[in-house]
Amino acid sequence: MLQEFEWNTLNNILIELYTIKNINSLSFKIMKILKMLIPYSKGYFIILDDNKNIIKENSYFIGFSENVIDKYINTYYEKDYIKYLYDFSFETNAYKDTNILENNIRKNTDFYINFLKPENIIYGCGIMIIRDNKIIGILNFFRNENLGDFTEKEIYILNILKKHIENMLYNIIKINQILINTDKSIDEFSNKFGLTSREKDILKLIKNGYSNEKISNELSISLSTVKKHIYNLYNKTFVSSRSQLISLFMNEIELK
């Protein structure tokens, strides 16, 4: 169904996307890059929390005004007929709006009449991203009447990409959660041993494998000042080396 140059394009897209480690950057890149393969007039990549609510700061909308974005999040997300798929979707899937509901039913919904039609985005398709039986994100593209409905070939492309996008999003979410948990653990560790804010900064960099020289450059302080802070770190935590400090930190995390 795809020509060789299209397969090469997909391959290059995936190579670029897999290097991204930030949710907002991933959303932006996916929306921008896929427009070359699947033309659309407006769209969004929304990230959901454990209660299936939209995390606005991690979501990306293209073509919508801020007012319309808020209107969707606060009112029409609950009326979006994509939610009809929530109860019986157990793995990541690609979809087309006109396959979710018959057109005569779809065009009589509040969502279509009061949101899609006024925005001139009467056709939609996308990917519902699911991991461990939990919906973690929705990628959605919209078209106006002039562009027409999405084709089977375009849905085929989404089906090729869907598991990759699932893995990318899931991995970034896990990395972010680890970072959040690590920052929280560093705060707790610092409070327990009475570390100063600078000592806490240096602990974080030591944990990340920074040498004294790299710490000096990162924090814009002299090498001798770095050594002084590390000496104080050792004294406060009753250790005598980096490996002992890291081991102590990890043991503290495991005890939580």
Side-chain angles (χ1 to χ4, degrees):
M1 186 175 286
L2 296 182
Q3 298 179 26
E4 183 177 352
F5 81 91
E6 291 173 312
W7 281 111
N8 290 334
T9 300
L10 283 176
N11 185 57
N12 292 333
I13 285 172
L14 291 172
I15 290 172
E16 181 174 355
L17 292 177
Y18 267 113
T19 65
I20 299 173
K21 304 300 180 187
N22 175 275
I23 288 180
N24 299 93
S25 297
L26 180 69
S27 303
F28 170 76
K29 272 290 186 182
I30 286 176
M31 297 296 290
K32 182 179 180 180
I33 290 174
L34 287 190
K35 198 167 189 178
M36 297 185 297
L37 295 171
I38 305 174
Y40 62 88
S41 48
K42 299 180 182 182
Y44 61 68
F45 193 154
I46 57 175
I47 309 301
L48 306 179
D49 63 19
D50 290 341
N51 296 315
K52 300 186 184 73
N53 296 317
I54 297 173
I55 306 173
K56 183 179 178 181
E57 61 269 23
N58 288 338
S59 300
Y60 181 74
F61 292 78
I62 186 168
F64 295 100
S65 69
E66 193 65 29
N67 179 57
V68 172
I69 292 171
D70 288 338
K71 186 189 298 185
Y72 177 76
I73 293 174
N74 297 325
T75 303
Y76 287 101
Y77 170 61
E78 289 299 324
K79 300 180 179 184
D80 192 336
Y81 43 70
I82 184 67
K83 300 194 84 173
Y84 297 163
L85 301 178
Y86 279 16
D87 293 335
F88 53 88
S89 295
F90 304 102
E91 62 180 8
T92 296
N93 60 83
Y95 61 86
K96 186 164 70 167
D97 281 15
T98 48
N99 289 336
I100 297 176
L101 288 175
E102 299 262 351
N103 241 349
N104 59 331
I105 298 175
R106 190 174 75 91
K107 290 183 176 181
N108 285 308
T109 63
D110 185 16
F111 181 60
Y112 181 92
I113 294 170
N114 294 309
F115 185 79
L116 296 182
K117 195 171 181 182
E119 289 297 310
N120 193 22
I121 46 173
I122 61 174
Y123 298 110
C125 76
I127 301 174
M128 181 179 290
I129 306 165
I130 300 173
R131 190 62 170 254
D132 299 330
N133 293 321
K134 183 173 74 174
I135 302 170
I136 58 176
I138 300 172
L139 174 63
N140 214 334
F141 304 121
F142 296 103
R143 278 182 179 163
N144 55 39
E145 191 166 9
N146 290 335
L147 287 174
D149 201 358
F150 293 88
T151 66
E152 291 305 312
K153 179 178 179 180
E154 289 164 335
I155 303 303
Y156 176 73
I157 291 172
L158 291 182
N159 273 309
I160 292 171
L161 294 174
K162 65 183 182 183
K163 293 301 289 184
H164 292 285
I165 293 175
E166 174 195 326
N167 287 333
M168 292 170 198
L169 180 58
Y170 177 77
N171 289 338
I172 289 176
I173 289 173
K174 292 297 288 183
I175 289 170
N176 285 349
Q177 191 58 53
I178 289 170
L179 292 174
I180 291 170
N181 291 339
T182 299
D183 285 345
K184 181 181 178 182
S185 297
I186 286 177
D187 287 341
E188 292 172 350
F189 185 89
S190 299
N191 290 335
K192 178 175 180 176
F193 291 98
L195 305 185
T196 66
S197 59
R198 180 60 83 192
E199 288 163 357
K200 184 171 72 172
D201 292 338
I202 289 176
L203 170 63
K204 188 182 297 186
L205 296 176
I206 288 175
K207 182 193 68 65
N208 291 334
Y210 279 54
S211 66
N212 287 358
E213 289 76 12
K214 284 189 70 177
I215 293 173
S216 173
N217 292 332
E218 180 73 17
L219 301 180
S220 299
I221 57 179
S222 70
L223 194 55
S224 61
T225 301
V226 171
K227 291 177 180 179
K228 180 181 177 181
H229 285 307
I230 292 176
Y231 175 79
N232 291 336
L233 261 174
Y234 290 172
N235 278 341
K236 289 181 178 182
T237 57
F238 308 103
V239 301
S240 58
S241 68
R242 285 171 179 256
S243 60
Q244 288 179 4
L245 179 63
I246 293 171
S247 178
L248 176 64
F249 176 73
M250 296 308 295
N251 286 336
E252 288 290 325
I253 291 177
E254 290 173 3
L255 290 173
K256 299 298 180 185

